[in-house]
Amino acid sequence: MTDIMKDIIAAVIDGEPGPVTTAVSAALEAGEDPESILNDGLTAGMTAVGEMLDQGEIFIPDVLWAAEAMQEGLAVLLPHLAHGVSRSAGTVVIGTVQGDVHDIGKNLVGLMLSGAGFEVRDLGHDVAPEAFVDSVAHNGAGLLGMSAMLTTTMPAMTRTLELLRARGMREKVHVLVGGAPVTQGYADKIGADGWAIDATRAVVVAKELA
Ligand code: B1M
């Protein structure tokens, strides 16, 4: 791992936005691959933060600072990750499921989809099944993206799929699911159309489904 990636990881762990944006800018100027900056720098930093939380070395407020710092870094990185695409891929409704406030990964997926040409309607976090389904109907969306980061909130995906069926809308919209505890097996089990392990793969799967 390069020193510049180590700087990004350390800056995310420290949770200060300034050093994160400076480190990301420095990495870009040094010619580092933007996807590597995302995966080996920013995301690796958040993974380390999660491990430190597990070990009791840091606490929830520290995680929040790190999350905000990572979002600042993402803002600098995003124009370099996705650019120059015509906007014609269709409409996607996206959000984090009910009871779940984790939104960094979902935001990243939304931003990447937007960069890939999708019209993205981001409903935010803690989104009730009714809100997802209403938004799909209202926007005529061809794709619904749901993110869950807690094992306890994954069943909200099932409830949303059930509501789509109950309203006779299931055949009209493709459903893409993701988030750290969500697997291809889980996606198959609940009857989703697609699953992606990360934001880059989410774009690939979304294009396949569109
Ligand atoms: Co929380 N949290 N958290 N947390 N948090 C996790 C998820 C956890 C694994 C930490 C741990 O214990 N090691 C654990 C979940 C355990 C479990 O259920 N398996 C956990 C817990 C327990 C909790 C609380 C319950 C803690 C508490 O209060 N005691 C609480 C729950 C609150 C709630 O939601 N009701 C909580 C709170 C928080 C904060 C608010 C402090 C903060 C969130 C801030 C925010 O999001 N604005 C937070 C954070 C930051 C984390 C960790 C450290 C980092 C998550 C993250 O942003 N990763 C996380 C530990 C970890 O993951 N290492 C943890 C970076 C991000 C880029 O990756 O989100 O995985 P990720 O997204 C990826 C992929 O998953 C995928 O693509 C993304 C980009 O590559 N993806 C999709 C995501 N959504 C997708 C959708 C798709 C496709 C792909 O299609 C639609």
Side-chain angles (χ1 to χ4, degrees), residues 9 12-13 38-39 41-54 58 70:
I9 292 170
V12 170
I13 293 170
L38 175 64
N39 295 323
L42 291 171
T43 303
M46 280 311 295
T47 302
V49 165
E51 286 164 4
M52 291 167 79
L53 182 71
D54 277 344
I58 59 170
M70 179 178 175

Side-chain angles (χ1 to χ4, degrees), residues 39 43 46-47 49-51 53-54 60 63-64 67 70-71 94 99-106 108-109 144-152 176-181 196-200 202:
N39 295 323
T43 303
M46 280 311 295
T47 302
V49 165
E51 286 164 4
L53 182 71
D54 277 344
I60 295 291
V63 179
L64 270 176
M70 179 178 175
Q71 306 248 36
I94 192 168
D100 199 325
V101 304
H102 296 86
D103 65 358
I104 298 174
K106 179 270 299 170
L108 190 50
V109 172
L144 169 62
M146 289 188 281
S147 176
M149 287 294 287
L150 298 169
T151 47
T152 50
L176 171 67
V177 294
I197 193 164
D198 59 23
T200 308

Side-chain angles (χ1 to χ4, degrees), residues 120-183:
V120 177
R121 302 275 184 266
D122 187 340
L123 305 186
H125 57 263
D126 191 12
V127 180
E130 294 76 14
F132 274 127
V133 175
D134 287 349
S135 182
V136 167
H138 179 73
N139 292 295
L143 187 64
L144 169 62
M146 289 188 281
S147 176
M149 287 294 287
L150 298 169
T151 47
T152 50
T153 58
M154 288 162 64
M157 293 176 163
T158 307
R159 293 200 295 279
T160 306
L161 281 157
E162 283 167 357
L163 190 58
L164 281 173
R165 286 186 204 103
R167 292 206 191 160
M169 292 166 57
R170 182 63 188 93
E171 304 309 317
K172 294 180 185 149
V173 62
H174 292 295
V175 176
L176 171 67
V177 294
V182 181
T183 60

Side-chain angles (χ1 to χ4, degrees), residues 109-124:
V109 172
L111 290 168
M112 294 285 281
L113 287 173
S114 179
F118 288 89
E119 286 293 334
V120 177
R121 302 275 184 266
D122 187 340
L123 305 186

